[in-house]
Amino acid sequence: MKVGCLLIHGFTGAPYEVLPLGEYLKSLGYEIEVPTLSGHGGNLNGLRGVSYKRWIEDAERAFNALSQRCDAVVVVGFSMGGLLAINLACKHKIAGLVTLSTPIYVYDLRQMASNLLAAVRLKEYQRIKEYAQRAWETPLSAARNFQRLLSSTKQLIPQVRVPVLVVQGKRDDTVKAKSAGYIYNKISSHSKTIHYLPESTHLVCLGPEQETVFQLLQQFMRGIEVR
């Protein structure tokens, strides 16, 4: 059985957020698809006027393209991409679902302050700049569409019945860590696993526990293959 993996990036992000994981899975022989969602991948002004329904359509197109090449498809969603992956799981026949840093509760202000202080201490000026850019340059209409997607997707979570892996960084300041527990508890799947990364912030595929994420996905994909 030929298994493929669709990897979906997050809100205001781009494929680079999940590409290391995609390249790792590709090295193991899996087919991968890593789309760029509408309005993403460039200046944040590109998000202006883009509906969350277009992001769902983007994910569906990528899923259909990968389905043409594979017998089964696992969908991996990072951050907002996890919300899109849940939508796919409720509408299409997927083999498995993986959510990475997927939001239900957003912005842990206490953790954000801690991370910013650490960045100042370590003189990580690029990281500080990224915080400011996301706060001031994201169009309000895009933020509203993100909230609409989140609200509509929460209602779908109990409908998910495929095998699920939930991964969440404990030091994430963009998504509150308790989001992972909400997803895990609400999903109706009989086969589901949750894993917390104690040292990771939001970008789990690029962080200090990247190798752990890779191994978790490898195990999950192998489990799909033997089903």
Side-chain angles (χ1 to χ4, degrees), residues 77-92:
F78 165 72
S79 196
M80 184 186 78
L83 300 178
L84 298 174
I86 290 168
N87 277 266
L88 288 179
C90 293
K91 188 174 179 181
H92 298 274

Side-chain angles (χ1 to χ4, degrees), residues 107-117 131 172-174:
Y107 299 119
D108 188 329
L109 297 180
R110 183 177 297 178
Q111 187 63 60
M112 186 178 291
S114 175
N115 290 353
L116 272 172
L117 285 172
Y131 270 103
D172 193 336
D173 56 23
T174 302

Side-chain angles (χ1 to χ4, degrees), residues 28-49:
L28 297 176
Y30 296 106
E31 284 279 332
I32 67 164
E33 189 82 18
V34 190
T36 301
L37 301 173
S38 294
H40 291 77
N43 191 292
L44 292 180
N45 280 327
L47 289 166
R48 204 175 301 278

